[in-house]
């Protein structure tokens, strides 16, 4: 008999079939990955440096942009004060830095 009280083991034939099936699946996945990599086109984008004039134009354009002061809360979220609408309504809003979404609370109900 068996000396351990663990679950019964599969017969060797069943284990071998499962092992062969896993190996076949892994081989198919590797071949599919290699085919995909070989079929992918390489896109080359040439890099070039800004001229000093272009750097100055960029600095001037950035200086003209409006800025908003953001407050860091325990390295977990950033919030700032914004205005929305006409006439402007002021909101303290959490900025979602992981997307382009802006979530603002509804105005208070009076």
């Amino acid at each position: 008999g068996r000396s351990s009280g663990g679950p019964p083991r599969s017969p060797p034939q069943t284990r071998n079939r499962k092992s062969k099936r896993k190996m076949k699946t892994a081989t198919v996945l590797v071949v599919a990955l290699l085919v995909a990599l070989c079929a992918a086109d390489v896109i080359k984008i040439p890099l070039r440096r800004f001229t000093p004039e272009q750097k100055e134009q960029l600095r001037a354009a950035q200086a003209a942009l409006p800025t908003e002061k953001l407050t860091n809360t325990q390295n977990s979220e950033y919030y700032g004060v914004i205005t929305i609408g006409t006439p402007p309504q002021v909101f303290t809003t959490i900025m979602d830095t992981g997307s382009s979404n802006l979530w603002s609370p509804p105005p208070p109900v009076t």
Side-chain angles (χ1 to χ4, degrees):
R2 291 184 305 148
S3 60
S4 69
R9 296 187 63 181
S10 305
Q13 300 85 3
T14 304
R15 285 194 308 265
N16 286 340
R17 274 191 297 231
K18 287 180 182 178
S19 178
K20 285 180 183 178
R21 191 175 321 135
K22 286 181 183 179
M23 183 62 86
K24 188 182 275 188
T25 302
T27 303
V28 169
L29 289 174
V30 168
V31 169
L33 177 65
L34 289 173
V35 168
L37 287 174
C38 291
D41 289 334
V42 175
I43 299 173
K44 293 185 179 184
I45 301 173
L47 300 178
R48 60 184 179 93
R49 294 186 183 272
F50 281 128
T51 65
E53 294 81 21
Q54 289 172 321
K55 286 182 183 178
E56 186 54 41
Q57 288 174 348
L58 183 59
R59 281 190 202 103
Q62 287 175 335
L65 293 175
T67 59
E68 296 295 331
K69 183 180 182 314
L70 296 181
T71 302
N72 181 355
T73 307
Q74 299 176 356
N75 286 331
S76 65
E77 63 188 19
Y78 294 89
Y79 68 90
V81 176
I82 63 169
T83 59
I84 300 174
T86 305
Q89 295 181 23
V90 177
F91 293 92
T92 299
T93 305
I94 296 173
M95 307 298 171
D96 183 354
T97 58
S99 73
S100 61
N101 294 341
L102 173 68
W103 298 95
S104 65
V109 178
T110 56

